[in-house]
Amino acid sequence: MTEDELARRVTLGERAAVAEALNLTEDRRPEGRARAIALLRALRAGDEGARAHRVGITGPPGVGKSTLVAALTRELRRVSRTVGVVAVDPSSIRSGGALLGDRARISPDPNDQGVFVRSLATAGELGGLARSAPLALTVLAAAYDVAILETVGVGQTETDVRHVTDTVVFVVQPGSGDALQFLKAGIMEVPDVLVVNKADQAELAARASGDLAAALATLRSAGALPYDVPIVLTSARDGTGIDALVAALGAHRAELAGPRLLARRREGAIAWGLRAFVRRHGEVGVETRGGEQNVREAIASRLDEGAVIPQIVDEV
């Protein structure tokens, strides 16, 4: 099957085609990389995935991200939205293997053709994402209405998810810290929606919500946060608040309509391309090309010409 035909079948939401396309994005062999580039170029040429909503779900370990994604997926399907999920699991520092348990936690209906879930291992990658996660998200965005990326459990500085998604949801749980702790987290300047999960612990959830609101107010007054961030209380276990989360996601996506969305995606692609360039060529490679700004400008120019990130990293 040619890459153009595979791209066409992906856009029709054919599960077998989506699975094959995702396999290509993870193939590091030269021939696999060449096919993946051809596939991504075919998807980009048709502007496939431009209308999809790309949502990042991130937060510390143990806050219930996978359970929340499962509940969110069910609610999106209830309102007739198709959903693709890529969930990133941590890899062992000894063996390099990963349990890939997020897929088991999300556990979609195998007969529902409107849902697709894929797990990826970090394979030592920092920043909360797997190396192929942005490419996988591109494929899912071409096939489904909503493409969700669930990061591995992150700390205070892993903010790469903002480069590859339209809306970032940061999940915390009751008792996870006070306002000062939230202010210390660099990731607090990234989310578009904040979720206090496990809100069935009502008193603790209310306190966490208040602490988040205080932290956000401080960041806004300091000029570090130029926009309002909604706080949504959910209980993934019993399903409460999930409809409010869907509404908050829809509201943010509507705010991004038009040039703002295109600008966010372009800037994110440039940032991710720079990271990929440094991974492949190192700091010496950046210096050889005249510094980081020159590399960014070269990536931006090639993006405007219709190239895709793996191809650009090879060529720049």
Side-chain angles (χ1 to χ4, degrees):
M1 183 190 311
T2 67
E3 285 71 42
D4 286 343
E5 175 62 16
L6 180 58
R8 187 188 69 81
R9 291 178 56 191
V10 165
T11 61
L12 295 175
E14 296 184 17
R15 292 169 67 93
V18 172
E20 182 177 344
L22 291 176
N23 289 340
L24 275 183
T25 66
E26 296 183 70
D27 192 338
R28 297 189 184 181
R29 297 174 300 171
E31 60 271 25
R33 185 178 180 86
R35 288 198 65 202
I37 288 172
L39 170 67
L40 294 168
R41 290 183 67 181
L43 292 174
R44 174 161 182 166
D47 204 25
E48 305 299 348
R51 293 176 299 279
H53 189 183
R54 306 176 192 197
V55 177
I57 307 290
T58 191
V63 298
K65 293 189 296 296
S66 296
T67 308
L68 182 65
V69 168
L72 177 59
T73 299
R74 288 193 295 271
E75 178 64 16
L76 288 168
R77 291 299 293 136
R78 189 186 69 79
V79 295
S80 302
R81 308 288 305 278
T82 57
V83 184
V85 179
V86 56
V88 182
D89 281 292
S91 297
S92 167
I93 59 173
R94 295 182 182 273
S95 68
L99 180 61
L100 302 181
D102 282 342
R103 183 173 181 177
R105 289 194 185 97
I106 297 171
S107 187
D109 181 353
N111 297 316
D112 186 351
Q113 298 298 306
V115 178
F116 189 100
V117 179
R118 180 69 162 249
S119 287
L120 298 176
T122 57
E125 190 77 3
L126 301 178
L129 302 183
R131 183 174 301 187
S132 62
L135 308 183
L137 196 67
T138 299
V139 170
L140 293 179
Y144 301 101
D145 298 327
V146 182
I148 298 175
L149 173 58
E150 179 197 338
T151 75
V152 71
V154 299
Q156 295 181 342
T157 58
E158 292 91 343
T159 58
D160 285 349
V161 66
R162 75 188 189 279
H163 298 319
V164 296
T165 56
D166 304 329
T167 303
V168 176
V169 178
F170 184 52
V171 187
V172 302
Q173 64 180 344
S176 57
D178 57 16
L180 181 59
Q181 183 64 29
F182 289 131
L183 282 172
K184 288 166 56 180
I187 201 169
M188 279 296 294
E189 298 175 13
V190 172
D192 303 295
V193 178
L194 283 163
V195 168
V196 179
N197 197 26
K198 305 181 182 180
D200 43 284
Q201 304 174 41
E203 184 176 343
L204 287 175
R207 186 181 307 162
S209 179
D211 288 338
L212 282 171
L216 291 173
T218 301
L219 289 170
R220 280 195 297 271
S221 65
L225 195 67
Y227 52 87
D228 291 329
V229 179
I231 300 172
V232 181
L233 274 64
T234 67
S235 174
R237 185 183 66 177
D238 59 26
T240 58
I242 306 302
D243 54 346
L245 175 56
V246 169
L249 294 176
H252 182 258
R253 182 64 172 79
E255 290 176 5
L256 285 178
R260 286 185 61 196
L261 177 60
L262 296 177
R264 176 171 176 142
R265 288 182 175 177
R266 184 175 185 274
E267 182 57 34
I270 294 170
W272 188 262
L274 176 62
R275 181 184 175 104
F277 182 90
V278 173
R279 184 196 301 118
R280 170 163 288 210
H281 301 288
E283 293 295 340
V284 173
V286 175
E287 292 174 6
T288 301
R289 289 305 308 267
E292 182 177 305
Q293 186 58 36
N294 281 354
V295 175
R296 288 179 60 90
E297 290 174 0
I299 291 171
S301 177
R302 293 294 287 121
L303 283 171
D304 292 342
E305 293 169 1
V308 294
I309 291 300
Q311 172 191 7
I312 294 170
V313 172
D314 290 344
E315 296 174 352
V316 168

